[in-house]
Amino acid sequence: MKLYHQPRTRSSRVRWLLAELGVTCDVAPIDVFAGEGRKPDYQQAVHPHGFVPALEEDGQILIESSAICMYLADRYGEGRLAPKLGTAERGKYYEWMVYVPATVDPCLETIMFHTVFLPEGKRIPQLVERAKKSWTTKMEPRIEAALAKSPFILGETFSAADVLVGGALAWAQMAGVLGSGAAITRYLDAITKRPAFVAGHTT
Ligand SMILES: N[C@@H](CCC(=O)N[C@@H](CS)C(=O)NCC(=O)O)C(=O)O
């Protein structure tokens, strides 16, 4: 198995989950910040958009961090990191595994791009204001309310959904938009101390 990876990006989710699973994996570094993702060879053979992560296993390439995490949890988790198929809990699991990439990531990405990544002349403050409002009034309160009910996002036990939600919260903190809700503060503190989180974010 090989992970095409760049530290401090969405491929860290996959590294974190692999560490939670105790599964070893070759890592192919792709410096997307230096433009390596734009190389035609990489786009033809690995990721059509030139992004990370991509996972190569059994002669197949998988893209999309959330899809990769769901696949790995099912294949190697022995029922530990994802609820049983066909249960109500599995429905909630899908909800969080899709909510993060479909709703949260674009919001946080807009904030990061228009405050940090883009050259100053290309930043659009109105986009940042709108995204911050969505984060602060909709997404963060929703996550805070869920975490106020239980230690982890799906309940009493850690799952792959915590990799997605915990990773997004760490990203929100980096973007400087994370508030001081008691449940999120407690959760983030616990999650970022997990040895697998540390292993997934050091390289
Ligand atoms: N929805 C994709 C997003 C992947 C993505 O945008 N990756 C970023 C890093 S977080 C990337 O590779 N960017 C390179 C570029 O924009 O050239 C996923 O979750 O895997």
Side-chain angles (χ1 to χ4, degrees):
M1 192 192 323
K2 190 197 282 184
L3 175 68
Y4 295 85
H5 172 67
Q6 161 77 52
R8 298 171 67 82
T9 69
R10 275 165 273 202
S11 62
S12 298
R13 293 171 176 168
V14 180
R15 288 220 80 180
W16 175 13
L17 187 75
L18 284 164
E20 294 282 356
L21 291 164
V23 170
T24 52
C25 177
D26 294 333
V27 171
I30 301 295
D31 190 345
V32 288
F33 301 129
E36 282 183 16
R38 287 196 287 275
K39 290 188 178 160
D41 284 359
Y42 181 68
Q43 296 197 0
Q44 269 154 30
V46 181
H47 199 306
H49 301 288
F51 296 163
V52 289
L55 186 83
E56 193 175 318
E57 193 185 31
D58 295 340
Q60 141 175 296
I61 302 269
L62 267 187
I63 63 169
E64 290 298 334
S65 56
S66 188
I68 296 170
C69 287
M70 287 194 274
Y71 162 74
L72 290 172
D74 284 346
R75 177 147 185 180
Y76 298 105
E78 293 167 353
R80 279 188 304 119
L81 292 184
K84 220 166 164 298
L85 267 179
T87 59
E89 292 76 21
R90 185 79 180 195
K92 265 293 166 203
Y93 169 72
Y94 287 137
E95 183 184 292
W96 287 109
M97 296 304 278
V98 174
Y99 181 67
V100 170
T103 302
V104 175
D105 283 354
C107 172
L108 296 176
E109 195 172 51
T110 298
I111 296 169
M112 292 295 279
F113 266 86
H114 290 273
T115 55
V116 179
F117 295 140
L118 288 173
E120 276 186 28
K122 294 199 168 163
R123 296 179 192 169
I124 304 173
Q126 292 90 330
L127 290 181
V128 177
E129 284 320 301
R130 203 167 67 182
K132 274 188 179 167
K133 191 169 169 206
S134 289
W135 170 256
T136 311
T137 64
K138 302 268 190 247
M139 296 173 215
E140 191 177 63
R142 176 164 192 258
I143 298 172
E144 174 72 17
L147 291 173
K149 289 192 206 130
S150 57
F152 298 104
I153 201 69
L154 294 182
E156 296 305 311
T157 53
F158 181 88
S159 71
D162 292 296
V163 170
L164 270 287
V165 173
L169 290 173
W171 204 18
Q173 191 171 49
M174 220 160 60
V177 294
L178 197 65
S180 54
I184 286 181
T185 304
R186 181 261 311 148
Y187 175 78
L188 202 53
D189 185 56
I191 281 261
T192 53
K193 285 192 178 123
R194 294 176 74 84
F197 177 93
V198 177
H201 288 82
T202 43
T203 48

